[in-house]
Amino acid sequence: PDNQSKVKSVKIVFLQARYPTKGSNFMSKCMIGILGGMGPRSTAPFIDAVVDQCQKIYGALLDEEFPKMMILSLPTPFYVDRPINHSLMKNTIVGGLQELESTGVNFIVMPCNSAHAYYSDLASAINIPLLNIITETLPFLGSSGPVTLIGTQGTFDSGLYQMGFKSTKLEFIFHSKWQKKINQIITLIKSGKVKEEACIYWNEFLSDLKNSQVEQAVIACTDLNAVLPLSKTNIVFIDSTESLAKATVNKYLLESG
């Protein structure tokens, strides 16, 4: 009997350590909205990142301890190699956000940096919070060491990350020839040629960065998560996908309170 009591006590302490005050099913009240599909290969890695952060941040273990997520993979008129119709692009994303909102989600995240060029208009088009991938990523920059930006032409042209770099007084390094290489890698990923070609070009590109004294790089295109695990470099990556996933889980816990 004494041994059985001890075992029961251990179980109770274990559950309280994971959920100090709210119990094992308190999080079922909140539903996360994820507007994905931009690009199509970026959605699944983001979901994996959210699941990882649930385990890291609050110790989720059992299936019932993970959040409800409503996922919409939205086809959009985005092109790597030609100009974007910004009005059409923005209206398409607004439609996706409003469709997600209609399902009853508590807040929405968009694992796509390029879409955040329209953030103000997008956020005002819905009546629930829309997290901002850029403001969630910038705080993870190191305090020293030259930084670069790896993303689409649209993300670069928006200047949103560059403003953040300027506020931290970090040295920003970017050579115009790099964008063509980045575009080529993203195109290969979207074509499904990750290990065959994209990985080779990716690591060649990282060598160029290292030779230019880059010490940290913001990964500002969620498609690039397909090649990140195949990287051969000591450059520090600030991954916007991981940063948004952390913010998503923290917002989820806040909404669940």
Side-chain angles (χ1 to χ4, degrees), residues 39 52 83 86 100 119 157 161 163 168 191 202 212 235 237 252:
D52 288 344
H86 291 289
L100 257 184
Y119 178 81
D157 290 345
Y161 275 106
M163 285 189 285
T168 63
S191 302
W202 172 247
S212 296
I235 293 173
F237 294 133
Y252 169 65

Side-chain angles (χ1 to χ4, degrees), residues 51-92:
V51 170
D52 288 344
Q53 291 303 319
C54 289
Q55 295 175 323
K56 291 177 182 177
I57 293 174
Y58 67 88
L61 179 62
L62 304 175
D63 288 5
E64 65 181 6
E65 296 167 359
F66 290 88
K68 289 182 180 178
M69 293 184 271
M70 184 64 69
I71 303 158
L72 173 58
S73 185
L74 182 71
T76 58
F78 173 82
Y79 310 98
V80 176
D81 58 347
R82 51 185 156 153
I84 296 170
N85 182 327
H86 291 289
S87 177
L88 178 60
M89 184 71 168
K90 182 172 67 174
N91 290 338
T92 301

Side-chain angles (χ1 to χ4, degrees), residues 43-54:
T43 307
F46 180 72
I47 303 303
D48 286 341
V50 170
V51 170
D52 288 344
Q53 291 303 319
C54 289

Side-chain angles (χ1 to χ4, degrees), residues 1-11:
D2 290 342
N3 289 337
Q4 290 178 352
S5 298
K6 288 179 181 177
V7 171
K8 289 180 181 178
S9 297
V10 170
K11 288 182 178 179

Side-chain angles (χ1 to χ4, degrees), residues 22-221:
K22 302 181 182 180
S24 62
N25 61 355
F26 80 95
M27 283 165 281
S28 61
K29 299 174 185 176
C30 176
M31 182 162 60
I32 301 168
I34 299 174
L35 187 63
M38 302 177 281
R41 290 186 181 274
S42 68
T43 307
F46 180 72
I47 303 303
D48 286 341
V50 170
V51 170
D52 288 344
Q53 291 303 319
C54 289
Q55 295 175 323
K56 291 177 182 177
I57 293 174
Y58 67 88
L61 179 62
L62 304 175
D63 288 5
E64 65 181 6
E65 296 167 359
F66 290 88
K68 289 182 180 178
M69 293 184 271
M70 184 64 69
I71 303 158
L72 173 58
S73 185
L74 182 71
T76 58
F78 173 82
Y79 310 98
V80 176
D81 58 347
R82 51 185 156 153
I84 296 170
N85 182 327
H86 291 289
S87 177
L88 178 60
M89 184 71 168
K90 182 172 67 174
N91 290 338
T92 301
I93 298 172
V94 166
L97 290 170
Q98 292 175 342
E99 185 175 350
L100 257 184
E101 182 181 20
S102 71
T103 67
V105 298
N106 294 73
F107 66 96
I108 297 176
V109 296
M110 297 187 301
C112 173
N113 286 269
S114 298
H116 284 72
Y118 321 110
Y119 178 81
S120 295
D121 290 337
L122 301 180
S124 64
I126 54 177
N127 299 305
I128 55 176
L130 175 66
L131 299 194
N132 188 317
I133 195 171
I134 296 168
T135 57
E136 299 297 346
T137 300
L138 286 171
F140 291 98
L141 282 169
S143 58
S144 62
V147 62
T148 196
L149 179 66
I150 308 177
T152 65
Q153 186 71 58
T155 298
F156 187 89
D157 290 345
S158 74
L160 296 173
Y161 275 106
Q162 291 92 315
M163 285 189 285
F165 300 154
K166 188 175 181 180
S167 68
T168 63
K169 299 188 178 186
L170 289 170
E171 180 185 0
F172 176 57
I173 298 176
F174 193 89
H175 300 300
S176 57
K177 65 180 181 180
W178 288 353
Q179 192 61 57
K180 184 177 180 180
K181 294 182 179 181
I182 295 168
N183 292 349
Q184 183 180 30
I185 293 165
I186 294 172
T187 299
L188 288 169
I189 292 170
K190 288 180 177 293
S191 302
K193 300 174 182 177
V194 177
K195 292 183 179 178
E196 299 91 336
E197 297 179 56
C199 176
I200 296 171
Y201 285 109
W202 172 247
N203 280 295
E204 289 177 354
F205 173 61
L206 294 180
S207 294
D208 286 349
L209 298 187
K210 192 65 180 174
N211 291 336
S212 296
Q213 310 307 312
V214 169
E215 295 182 17
Q216 51 183 336
V218 172
I219 306 301
C221 176

